[in-house]
């Protein structure tokens, strides 16, 4: 009922083509500029990141440009993180037709991301290695941002209006009740590490394997309960742009979303990433690998980083799962729902492959 009531409060949905047309008519035919920076400190050396600002949908055609940024937090070795950094985007692109226009490409992208994550997981597991990794992959095409993620590396959006949106969902068994239910319903066991004498310690884990996450790439030793199917969200920013902060859990275990955004407001992206890492280390020390990528999406007529407002009480986290199920289908059929200065185009959080692919394909 709460979900239905919220849906009724949303303004009328707009087709993606209408949004792109509005951008063109408003003088937004020029793509926004991107400014980005990254920083990190290694504890175990299992964090990796990807920065590819000059990708092309159509080889040789600069009008088809898009950019990709990603963070991978490996565990039980670096193999899965390294493989994902080198091959995940390749698997996603192989699921997209090179002969479609921009609008169709953007609408097909969520399905391609699901297929790419699954294909990467299958391909890596064939190597017989037991390493695993989180993956948060961000694709930016104009003012449209598409994020796919498994694990607990996170991406937040800080807009010019001072609002924060969480674009990912943490797949931690300790904190995600629906993922715990999914794992146990599938036959897995969720519990803490049991020491000699029956004492339970540490976070909730999935057994066999003892992994704290419910979704990842790799981890062939933990059985079928841990899946590589990503949560996917696609939004369209207003022509004022915004800032993305993509980071591993070494950042988020130390800082809230609001604290991370506040720590770097008004600073250039490269310095912003360093400040976020510095603030995390100041808060908790170097307990884990800490990696942060900051990306500023800047209108072409404002070639400076967004001076995001630091005003109090404006930074309200817009977690898209605050009033509804983590695994609920949020497919908008190629249409959008407006939240503040951001248009929601698509969202799917199901861990079931058929549901996730069907939801993504239904908007094409």
């Amino acid at each position: 009922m709460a979900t239905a009531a919220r849906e009724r409060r949303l303004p009328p949905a707009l087709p993606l083509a209408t949004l792109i047309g509005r951008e063109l008519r408003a003088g937004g035919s020029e793509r926004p500029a991107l400014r980005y920076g990254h920083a990190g400190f290694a504890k175990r050396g299992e964090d990796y990141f990807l920065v590819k600002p000059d990708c092309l949908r159509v080889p040789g055609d600069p009008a088809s440009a898009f950019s990709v940024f990603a963070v991978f937090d490996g565990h039980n070795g670096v193999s899965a993180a390294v493989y994902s950094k080198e091959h995940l985007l390749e698997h996603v692109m192989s699921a997209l037709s090179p002969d479609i226009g921009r609008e169709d490409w953007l609408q097909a992208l969520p399905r391609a991301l699901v297929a790419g994550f699954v294909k990467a997981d299958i391909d890596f597991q064939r190597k017989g290695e037991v390493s695993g990794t989180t993956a948060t992959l961000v694709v930016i095409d104009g003012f449209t941002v598409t994020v796919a993620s498994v694990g607990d590396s996170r991406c937040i959006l800080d807009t010019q209006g001072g609002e924060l949106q969480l674009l990912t969902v943490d797949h931690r068994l300790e904190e995600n009740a629906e993922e715990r239910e999914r794992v146990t319903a599938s036959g897995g066991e969720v519990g803490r590490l049991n020491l000699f004498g029956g004492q339970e310690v540490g976070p909730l884990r999935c057994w066999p394997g003892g992994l704290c996450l419910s979704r990842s790439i790799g981890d062939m030793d933990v059985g079928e309960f841990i899946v590589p199917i990503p949560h996917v969200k696609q939004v369209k920013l207003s022509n004022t742009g915004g800032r993305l902060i993509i980071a591993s859990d070494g950042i988020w275990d130390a800082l809230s979303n609001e604290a991370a955004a506040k720590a770097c407001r008004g600073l250039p992206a490269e310095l912003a990433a360093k400040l976020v890492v510095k603030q995390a280390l100041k808060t908790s020390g170097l307990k884990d690998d800490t990696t942060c990528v900051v990306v500023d999406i800047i209108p072409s007529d404002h070639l400076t980083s967004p001076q995001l407002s630091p005003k109090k009480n404006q930074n309200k986290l817009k977690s898209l799962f605050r009033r509804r199920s983590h695994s609920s289908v949020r497919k908008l059929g190629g249409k959008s729902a407006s939240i503040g200065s951001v248009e929601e185009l698509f969202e799917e959080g199901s861990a079931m492959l058929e549901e996730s692919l069907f939801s993504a394909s239904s908007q094409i």
Side-chain angles (χ1 to χ4, degrees), residues 53-129:
D54 300 315
C55 302
L56 296 176
R57 288 186 288 107
V58 181
D61 181 5
S64 68
F66 66 97
S67 301
V68 175
F69 302 87
V71 167
F72 309 98
D73 181 358
H75 47 264
N76 201 16
V78 302
S79 298
V82 171
Y83 173 87
S84 297
K85 174 183 177 178
E86 295 178 350
H87 299 290
L88 179 56
L89 179 59
E90 169 190 324
H91 289 308
V92 172
M93 294 302 294
S94 71
L96 287 162
S97 171
D99 302 320
I100 56 178
R102 181 190 176 206
E103 180 189 344
D104 291 338
W105 190 87
L106 285 171
Q107 290 186 339
L109 184 56
R111 179 183 175 90
L113 285 162
V114 174
F117 271 62
V118 172
K119 191 171 186 295
D121 178 73
I122 293 171
D123 198 44
F124 177 74
Q125 290 202 29
R126 286 174 179 158
K127 299 179 180 295
E129 300 187 43

Side-chain angles (χ1 to χ4, degrees), residues 43-49 71-85 124 130-136 150-153 211 213 216-219 248-250 288-291:
K43 175 75 171 181
R44 301 183 180 88
E46 295 176 328
D47 274 11
Y48 287 81
F49 66 92
V71 167
F72 309 98
D73 181 358
H75 47 264
N76 201 16
V78 302
S79 298
V82 171
Y83 173 87
S84 297
K85 174 183 177 178
F124 177 74
V130 296
S131 173
T133 188
T134 73
T136 297
V150 292
D152 57 4
S153 296
L211 190 63
L213 305 174
S216 68
I217 291 176
D219 291 308
S248 62
D249 67 337
D288 194 2
D289 293 338
T290 57
T291 299

Side-chain angles (χ1 to χ4, degrees), residues 307-323:
Q307 300 297 308
L308 297 171
S309 170
K311 293 181 181 179
K312 295 180 180 180
N313 301 323
Q314 286 189 348
N315 306 320
K316 299 177 181 179
L317 175 64
K318 298 275 189 177
S319 172
L320 300 170
F321 295 90
R322 181 175 53 194
R323 297 183 182 177

Side-chain angles (χ1 to χ4, degrees), residues 249-256 279-281 283-284:
D249 67 337
I251 298 294
W252 306 117
D253 285 345
L255 301 177
S256 67
Q279 187 63 35
L281 294 177
T283 301
S284 297

Side-chain angles (χ1 to χ4, degrees), residues 110-111 113-119 122 182 215 227-230 348-361:
R111 179 183 175 90
L113 285 162
V114 174
F117 271 62
V118 172
K119 191 171 186 295
I122 293 171
R182 177 186 64 77
R215 305 193 197 189
V227 298
I229 302 168
E348 173 57 80
S350 173
M352 303 300 293
L353 180 58
E354 289 185 1
E355 287 184 7
S356 191
L357 287 174
F358 175 78
S359 177
S361 63

Side-chain angles (χ1 to χ4, degrees), residues 227-242:
V227 298
I229 302 168
H231 167 269
V232 182
K233 180 164 183 63
Q234 187 177 73
V235 299
K236 186 176 187 300
L237 279 60
S238 73
N239 58 12
T240 60

Side-chain angles (χ1 to χ4, degrees), residues 167-244:
L167 301 184
T168 53
V169 169
D170 289 350
H171 297 126
R172 282 187 174 183
L173 290 167
E174 181 72 32
E175 301 161 4
N176 194 319
E178 293 193 10
E179 287 291 277
R180 292 199 300 270
E181 293 173 4
R182 177 186 64 77
V183 169
T184 55
S186 301
E189 180 181 348
V190 176
R192 305 186 193 281
L193 184 64
N194 200 323
L195 298 180
F196 180 76
Q199 181 183 4
E200 294 185 340
V201 297
L204 290 174
R205 302 173 183 271
C206 176
W207 305 97
L211 190 63
C212 302
L213 305 174
S214 58
R215 305 193 197 189
S216 68
I217 291 176
D219 291 308
M220 66 176 297
D221 59 330
V222 299
E224 70 274 18
F225 314 115
I226 309 302
V227 298
I229 302 168
H231 167 269
V232 182
K233 180 164 183 63
Q234 187 177 73
V235 299
K236 186 176 187 300
L237 279 60
S238 73
N239 58 12
T240 60
R243 165 169 286 177
L244 299 171

